[in-house]
Amino acid sequence: MSLTPLLRKIFLVDLVKGLKVTFHYQPPSEAITEQYPLERPVIFERFRGQPRLNSNPDTGESLCIVCNLCALACPEQLIVVKGERNPATKRKEVVSWTYDLSRCMFCGLCEEACSTDALELTQDYEMALYSREGMVLDQAALERGPEPEKYAK
Amino acid sequence: MSERTDYLDLDTKDETFLDATELVLNMGPQHPSTHGVLRVILKLDGEKVLGTECVIGYLHRGVEKIAENRTYAMFNPYVDRMDYVAAVSNGLGYCEAVEKLLNVEAPPRAQYIRVILTELCRIASHQVWLGTHALDIGAITPLFYCFRDREEVLKIFEKYCGARLTTHAFRIGGCIYEAYEGFEQDCKKFCDAFLPKLDEYEELLTTNRIWVERTKGVGILNPEDCIALGVTGPVLRASGVKWDLRKAQPYESYKDFDFEIPTGLNGDTYDRYLVRIEEMRQAVRIIRQAVDGLPQGPIMAKVPKVIKPPVGEVYHSIEAPKGELGYFIVSDASTQPYRIRVRPPSFVNLQALDKMVRGLLVADVVAVIGTLDIVLGEVDR
Ligand code: SF4
Ligand code: SF4
C-alpha cells in the first residue's frame, strides 16, 4: 500500500482493478449461457419431473396394484386411484388413475410411498401447456409419458 | 421506540398544501429493490427519510395453518417455500424440531450430510444476497458472477436430491437419499473453485470507491438496538455481538468442526457485507472438514412409518443464512401437528428497517433493504 489515497483516486486504481476482473471473462470460452432449445441442459438421475406409470416390460401389464399408498402420501391429495378386483386373476386392476399436474409440487413423497415402482417421477421437464386443460393426466397419458414438441428452427 | 409519532396522519395541521414540506411516498409493492412484494410507506422531507412503515402480507399463503391439516411428513415440503433461496436450511430446522419432539437423533452420517448441504445452502443464499444487493446499489457485474457460481451449488443439490430450489432434501429422522457417487469430489471441487471466485467478488467491491461511499456509515445499528429488536444473523454479528447458534447451542454435528464467527465493528452496511463474505469463507471451511470426516453408516434413524409424537410442545431453532430460524410445534399426540409457529429471521430483522433509515436518503433505503437480506416468502409465510 504505497499509493496514497489521492494517487489512487487520480489513477482510478479501484476502477482498473474491477475492470481487470471483468475483462478476464471476455474470451468466448468463458461464456456460460446455455442456448436453451438448441442446447439441452444435463438432467441428473434423481431429478423429479413429469410423472410416469410404469408397466411390466415383458407383459405390458401395469405395475400398479391399486394400493392407494401414493394418494394417501400426497400432501396435495391430487392423485385419485380407483380399482376393482378382477375375479378371473384375483388381482386388483386400475379402473381410473388421475394425476393433477397443475397442483403438484414435485416433492417426491408419492414416489417414495409407491410399493411397486409403478409411479416414477422422470427426468422429463417440459410440461408447460398453454391452458389448464390437459393438466389432469389419466392412466394412458401417464403410461405414454410426455411427448414434448420438437423444437425446429 | 417512544419517539415515534403518528407521522402518517397528515390532516392534523391546518396548513395549505403548498406549505407542506413532507411527502408520503409508497415504495412497492411492485418495486425491484424490495426483493419481492414489500410495500414501504416513506415519509420524506425532500430526499430525507423521516420515517417508514412496512406493509406486509402480499405473499401470505398461510403456511402455519396448512400445517394443521397435514401430517408431519407431509408438511415437510411446504417449509421449503418460506425462505425459497435457502430451502435446505428450512427443511433442516423443521426436521430437527420434529426429531426433538420424537426424541430421536439422526445418525452421524446423516448429520454430516445435512451439515454439508446446509453450508452449501448458506453460500448459495449469500450469493443471491450479494448479487441483488450490489445490483440495487448500482454494481451489476457481481450479480452475474454470483448467479454463475451459485449454479454449481444448485447442481450439487439436484444431483443429491433431485431438485434445485425447493429441495425437500431431508426427512424426519435423517436423510432419505444416500450421497451420490462423486458427492465428496463435487463438494471439494466446488470449495476449491469457489474461494478464488470469492476473492474476485471482493476485488470488484471491497475497495471500490462507489461501493464504499454507498455502504460505509449507512444504516447503522448498535448492539443494544439489535438485541432490543431481536435481530439475529449476520446483521447482529456485524454490530459486534458474537452470537451464532451453531456455536451457542450446537445442533447437528457442528461441535465437531472448527470455524470462526466473523463479527463487525460499526454495524453499518459495509460491515454487514464483510461479515457475510467472511461467513462464506467459513462455510467452505466447514464443508471441507465435513467432507473429509464423512462417517459411514446408516442415514436414517428408527422412526415409525406413521409419525405420532407424544403430547407436548417443542421449540427448536437453527442458524439459517439470514438468522435464527425457529419452529415451535405443539403436538396433541395425533398424526397432525396441533399448531406450528415459525420464527422467521427475515420478519424480525425487517423491524429494524425504520431505525436504520431515519435521517438517510431515499436511495439509502434501497441499500438498507438489501443489506437486511429479507425474503418476502419468509416474512409473510
Ligand atoms: S410429487 Fe408430491 S405433490 Fe406431486 S403428486 Fe407426488 S406427493 Fe403429490
Ligand atoms: S402407490 Fe404405486 S402401486 Fe400403489 S396405487 Fe400408487 S402407483 Fe399404484
Side-chain angles (χ1 to χ4, degrees):
Chain A
M1 281 286 161
S2 57
L3 288 174
T4 62
L6 180 71
L7 276 176
R8 289 178 72 99
K9 248 183 195 172
I10 292 172
F11 290 111
L12 300 171
V13 175
D14 317 321
L15 186 73
V16 173
K17 250 172 88 184
L19 281 179
K20 228 178 87 192
V21 175
T22 42
F23 273 101
H24 171 67
Y25 287 110
Q26 287 307 304
S29 60
E30 298 284 349
I32 51 151
T33 312
E34 228 165 50
Q35 303 298 333
Y36 163 58
L38 296 173
E39 218 181 294
R40 305 241 130 204
V42 184
I43 302 294
F44 299 109
E45 202 191 318
R46 291 179 185 176
F47 184 78
R48 301 192 291 259
Q50 167 127 1
R52 188 175 63 203
L53 262 182
N54 291 328
S55 34
N56 189 334
D58 300 329
T59 58
E61 269 174 24
S62 175
L63 283 175
C64 178
I65 54 166
V66 202
C67 62
N68 212 26
L69 283 177
C70 52
L72 291 173
C74 175
E76 288 292 324
Q77 284 136 30
L78 55 87
I79 302 176
V80 181
V81 189
K82 283 202 193 95
E84 236 171 40
R85 195 169 294 277
N86 185 337
T89 56
K90 293 222 167 114
R91 278 183 60 201
K92 256 190 164 184
E93 278 173 10
V94 179
V95 174
S96 85
W97 209 115
T98 59
Y99 189 110
D100 186 353
L101 203 54
S102 61
R103 273 159 53 209
C104 179
M105 56 179 168
F106 303 100
C107 60
L109 283 173
C110 51
E111 188 188 28
E112 281 162 29
C114 182
S115 45
T116 60
D117 293 336
L119 182 61
E120 184 189 344
L121 297 177
T122 60
Q123 281 82 27
D124 298 304
Y125 51 91
E126 283 156 323
M127 289 170 271
L129 290 174
Y130 283 106
S131 74
R132 272 174 183 260
E133 275 157 51
M135 278 289 196
V136 181
L137 306 176
D138 58 8
Q139 192 191 4
L142 283 163
E143 280 175 353
R144 243 185 339 215
E147 296 157 319
E149 273 172 51
K150 278 275 169 296
Y151 173 82
K153 217 176 180 179
Chain B
M1 299 213 288
S2 52
E3 80 272 19
R4 196 169 144 183
T5 53
D6 201 7
Y7 45 80
L8 288 177
D9 190 8
L10 286 177
D11 310 321
T12 44
K13 275 187 203 146
D14 195 16
E15 280 172 332
T16 62
F17 178 70
L18 288 174
D19 292 335
T21 55
E22 286 158 7
L23 174 75
V24 174
L25 191 73
N26 270 310
M27 182 173 157
Q30 308 289 340
H31 190 284
S33 298
T34 54
H35 296 209
V37 277
L38 168 70
R39 175 165 156 228
V40 187
I41 304 172
L42 300 169
K43 188 183 161 199
L44 304 170
D45 177 9
E47 273 257 18
K48 219 174 104 197
V49 180
L50 300 176
T52 63
E53 184 144 316
C54 289
V55 182
I56 60 168
Y58 293 94
L59 217 55
H60 179 68
R61 293 148 296 170
V63 170
E64 289 169 3
K65 193 72 195 167
I66 289 174
E68 293 167 21
N69 302 307
R70 299 285 185 274
T71 65
Y72 286 91
M74 275 184 190
F75 183 58
N76 201 352
Y78 289 91
V79 296
D80 291 350
R81 280 138 183 97
M82 290 190 301
D83 181 357
Y84 36 77
V85 289
V88 178
S89 298
N90 286 318
L92 178 77
Y94 174 69
C95 289
E96 283 200 341
V98 180
E99 281 162 20
K100 206 168 164 182
L101 198 57
L102 286 171
N103 212 358
V104 295
E105 202 179 54
R109 184 173 170 85
Q111 293 197 2
Y112 271 62
I113 291 176
R114 281 175 168 190
V115 166
I116 295 170
L117 289 174
T118 32
E119 289 306 314
L120 282 172
C121 174
R122 188 181 310 278
I123 293 176
S125 166
H126 282 358
Q127 278 171 328
V128 174
W129 157 79
L130 180 64
T132 51
H133 182 36
L135 180 72
D136 287 345
I137 294 187
I140 197 167
T141 320
L143 177 81
F144 300 130
Y145 290 1
C146 285
F147 274 73
R148 174 197 65 193
D149 302 333
R150 177 168 167 261
E151 198 64 20
E152 299 306 316
V153 180
L154 297 186
K155 265 189 198 150
I156 295 180
F157 286 167
E158 188 186 331
K159 279 190 196 171
Y160 174 74
C161 62
R164 291 153 52 90
L165 202 67
T166 45
T167 46
H168 195 205
F170 309 134
R171 300 296 188 274
I172 295 156
C175 309
I176 192 144
Y177 302 106
E178 183 52 87
Y180 62 90
E181 210 172 306
F183 176 66
E184 287 99 327
Q185 287 89 313
D186 272 1
C187 292
K188 276 194 184 146
K189 221 168 78 198
F190 169 76
C191 290
D192 294 341
F194 179 61
L195 285 181
K197 301 265 171 66
L198 200 51
D199 293 337
E200 258 170 28
Y201 305 161
E202 282 220 74
E203 214 152 289
L204 286 171
L205 294 172
T206 306
T207 55
N208 184 299
R209 217 186 320 148
I210 304 169
W211 179 258
V212 173
E213 301 256 310
R214 283 297 308 275
T215 55
K216 258 206 178 138
V218 171
I220 297 175
L221 259 189
N222 53 31
E224 294 78 44
D225 286 343
C226 279
I227 292 166
L229 287 164
V231 167
T232 48
V235 185
L236 175 69
R237 291 192 282 276
S239 301
V241 184
K242 209 168 179 159
W243 175 257
D244 189 317
L245 289 172
R246 288 175 293 173
K247 286 262 190 207
Q249 311 167 0
Y251 52 93
E252 288 299 314
S253 47
Y254 274 109
K255 53 189 176 314
D256 301 354
F257 307 119
D258 177 30
F259 61 98
E260 308 284 326
I261 303 170
T263 51
L265 284 175
N266 310 318
D268 59 1
T269 304
Y270 189 69
D271 272 16
R272 284 186 280 273
Y273 156 74
L274 291 180
V275 164
R276 288 203 179 97
I277 291 277
E278 189 52 37
E279 261 184 23
M280 289 199 243
R281 288 217 171 81
Q282 297 301 331
V284 168
R285 250 177 93 186
I286 298 173
I287 295 168
R288 280 193 170 142
Q289 291 171 40
V291 169
D292 285 336
L294 191 63
Q296 295 300 324
I299 51 166
M300 199 70 182
K302 275 214 164 58
V303 183
K305 264 241 147 72
V306 179
I307 295 168
K308 248 185 176 177
V311 180
E313 49 187 56
V314 71
Y315 178 76
H316 184 72
S317 56
I318 63 157
E319 187 71 29
K322 295 171 179 67
E324 177 182 341
L325 171 69
Y327 288 89
F328 179 69
I329 305 179
V330 183
S331 158
D332 59 355
S334 69
T335 54
Q336 299 175 344
Y338 179 73
R339 173 87 168 95
I340 286 189
R341 158 87 189 146
V342 187
R343 184 237 185 252
S346 299
F347 174 70
V348 182
N349 289 1
L350 185 60
Q351 294 182 74
L353 180 73
D354 187 62
K355 190 120 216 154
M356 290 158 88
V357 297
R358 284 205 179 192
L360 300 180
L361 305 179
V362 176
D364 293 328
V365 177
V366 169
V368 170
I369 293 176
T371 191
L372 281 175
D373 193 13
I374 50 165
V375 163
L376 267 299
E378 196 181 40
V379 173
D380 297 338
R381 299 188 297 293

